[in-house]
Amino acid sequence: DLEENLEKYTPNGSPAKAERRFVQGHVTADSYRFSISRKSTKVNFACILAVSNTASLLEQEILEEIGKLDDMVQDLYVTEENGTQIRYSQVCTKNQGLCVPSNPLLAAWKMNKNLDLRHITFPIFNQTGQPIYLAGTIGGTLLGKRSVRNQLLVKAKAMWLLYYLKTEDGEINELSKMWLIHFLNQFSNIETSLALK
């Protein structure tokens, strides 16, 4: 569908454009920790809601399946007419040189598959001194014993997987859109090939 660029209605030299340049120069989404709320432009992204048909997805087997899904999405590539492949790693939003993880809890589990899933705290989980904010990334939660600021995460029924794409003007934005359209066209094939439970 036709996408309207509202910026063309903002006069050159207007305070709004100067303020936006100031924000873009001083508050970046890619600073110390990526934050979508710091983006001052529109954002292209793919989103998957993984819902467990068991009591909780906080089980090794379930996270293994979600991890396979995540890997398949990140392995997707679209081929341009000239034969050039556009991989997710080329169009993903990056933080400290790496693609922003699709889900912080899944990323923590992938880094340490021996992660004790019975001792995850919510809304903030501290893994090796690195706080991970889980609110808004998992749903259907059942919380247990309260600690100072957090509660034990007893169950979680759903997990958001968010794949943020680069949206700079020009070619990279077009490549991101091509990858996103390919993702939408391929998702049912991914779902079928994994035979997700």
Side-chain angles (χ1 to χ4, degrees):
D1 296 78
L2 187 59
E3 187 177 303
E4 176 122 24
N5 181 359
L6 297 177
E7 279 196 46
K8 67 183 177 185
Y9 298 111
T10 307
N12 289 331
S14 73
K17 286 193 175 181
E19 289 167 1
R20 182 170 182 194
R21 279 192 303 277
F22 176 83
V23 169
Q24 288 174 329
H26 291 83
V27 181
T28 65
D30 304 332
S31 56
Y32 177 65
R33 288 254 186 234
F34 172 78
S35 172
I36 192 63
S37 63
R38 290 182 175 174
K39 293 293 271 183
S40 61
T41 58
K42 65 182 179 178
V43 177
N44 293 330
F45 68 96
C47 177
I48 300 170
L49 178 62
V51 180
S52 176
N53 62 1
T54 63
S56 176
L57 56 73
L58 298 176
E59 300 171 21
Q60 293 290 339
E61 306 80 41
I62 305 293
L63 288 178
E64 193 70 47
E65 283 192 17
I66 296 172
K68 286 179 188 173
L69 171 63
D70 183 54
D71 291 343
M72 285 191 80
V73 169
Q74 292 192 43
D75 287 343
L76 273 180
Y77 62 88
V78 64
T79 305
E80 291 185 272
E81 289 178 14
N82 66 6
T84 305
Q85 292 181 341
I86 303 163
R87 301 195 165 279
Y88 175 72
S89 60
Q90 294 171 266
V91 295
C92 68
T93 296
K94 295 190 176 174
N95 182 36
Q96 299 177 355
L98 300 172
C99 292
V100 172
S102 61
N103 182 284
L105 181 58
L106 183 64
W109 178 80
K110 280 181 157 185
M111 286 187 348
N112 175 13
K113 292 196 176 180
N114 294 321
L115 183 66
D116 188 351
L117 299 171
R118 294 167 297 153
H119 290 97
I120 294 173
T121 56
F122 186 85
I124 298 173
F125 173 59
N126 261 312
Q127 182 185 23
T128 62
Q130 198 64 263
I132 301 171
Y133 191 64
L134 298 178
T137 66
I138 55 177
T141 57
L142 175 65
L143 303 176
K145 185 178 144 191
R146 177 175 286 285
S147 62
V148 178
R149 291 188 185 113
N150 295 302
Q151 285 182 267
L152 193 63
L153 182 60
V154 177
K155 293 180 182 178
K157 192 80 172 142
M159 177 180 283
W160 284 109
L161 302 177
L162 298 163
Y163 302 90
Y164 291 107
L165 305 173
K166 293 178 184 174
T167 54
E168 291 88 29
D169 290 332
E171 185 182 6
I172 193 67
N173 191 39
E174 292 307 311
L175 296 177
S176 291
K177 286 181 183 177
M178 286 176 66
W179 185 91
L180 183 59
I181 290 166
H182 184 68
F183 163 82
L184 294 171
N185 292 334
Q186 293 298 310
F187 187 72
S188 61
N189 294 339
I190 292 172
E191 202 174 18
T192 302
S193 70
L194 284 175
L196 296 174
K197 299 178 189 107

